[in-house]
Amino acid sequence: MVRVIVATDSPSRADVQALLAEHLTDMFATSPADSVHALDHEALAADGVAFLSARAPDGTLLGCGALVELEATSPRDEGGTRAGHGELKSMRTAPAARGRGVASAVLRRLLGTARERGYGRVSLETGSQEFFAPARSLYTRHGFAPCGPFGSYREDPNSVFMTLELAARTDSGAVPGRATVGSCASKPLPATSPPSPSTPS
């Protein structure tokens, strides 16, 4: 397994822009245009987006991923805290780095960021086609469960929606999330193929 350094990065860096452009090209080649929800580098630079890159020790870009805030964590009127909701976006592994744990490393860090932000749930949209089977397999292995559309999404035969309820932090730190369909409508996942860290989303 390659050594991976995952850290906050700028989506405007030239190598990141190139990886994101490749990501978008694949999305439009695989799904109808109105079913493509991938973000470009400008959208990923917006407020409320945590953008991470995975790099080799020599700085070579291995992959990236982002966490977009759908609902902020906020105080409840009656006291306590209302947990926020985040969405995974732009999960992508460079072709030469696939199969070496890059996507899992990025995903774990993004889930850690979600817990730090006080989110109670992290959700995602990915494709229903066979091309996206490795992505669906990755998310399933990390505890995500199928759900219905969330946020501004609508039912779409080209989309699969998944969610993960995050357990509350304890004094010993963040604890693993648990799979749940929560308020989402459960639906079966398409068949998956052997997992790979290439995770178009």
Side-chain angles (χ1 to χ4, degrees), residues 33-93:
D34 59 358
S35 296
V36 174
H37 305 287
L39 302 179
D40 62 19
H41 73 277
E42 292 182 345
L44 291 167
D47 291 342
V49 178
F51 184 83
L52 306 179
S53 70
R55 295 182 180 272
D58 65 1
T60 301
L61 181 64
L62 304 175
C64 65
L67 180 68
V68 176
E69 185 166 277
L70 298 178
E71 299 174 33
T73 301
S74 60
R76 292 181 182 273
D77 292 340
E78 64 275 16
T81 301
R82 178 179 290 103
H85 186 186
E87 180 184 3
L88 293 178
K89 299 294 292 185
S90 302
M91 291 286 292
R92 182 74 178 187
T93 301

Side-chain angles (χ1 to χ4, degrees), residues 88-145:
L88 293 178
K89 299 294 292 185
S90 302
M91 291 286 292
R92 182 74 178 187
T93 301
R98 291 174 185 171
R100 295 191 282 175
V102 173
S104 288
V106 173
L107 180 54
R108 284 192 295 267
R109 181 68 179 269
L110 288 172
L111 292 178
T113 299
R115 291 186 179 96
E116 290 169 2
R117 289 182 170 192
Y119 294 167
R121 183 182 301 276
V122 174
S123 302
L124 63 94
E125 181 274 340
T126 189
S128 61
Q129 298 90 341
E130 182 63 21
F131 177 83
F132 298 95
R136 298 191 301 266
S137 180
L138 172 82
Y139 297 131
T140 298
R141 293 199 317 275
H142 284 268
F144 285 80

Side-chain angles (χ1 to χ4, degrees), residues 25 27 33 41 48 57 82 102 162 188 193:
T25 296
M27 299 304 97
H41 73 277
R82 178 179 290 103
V102 173
M162 304 182 75
S193 62

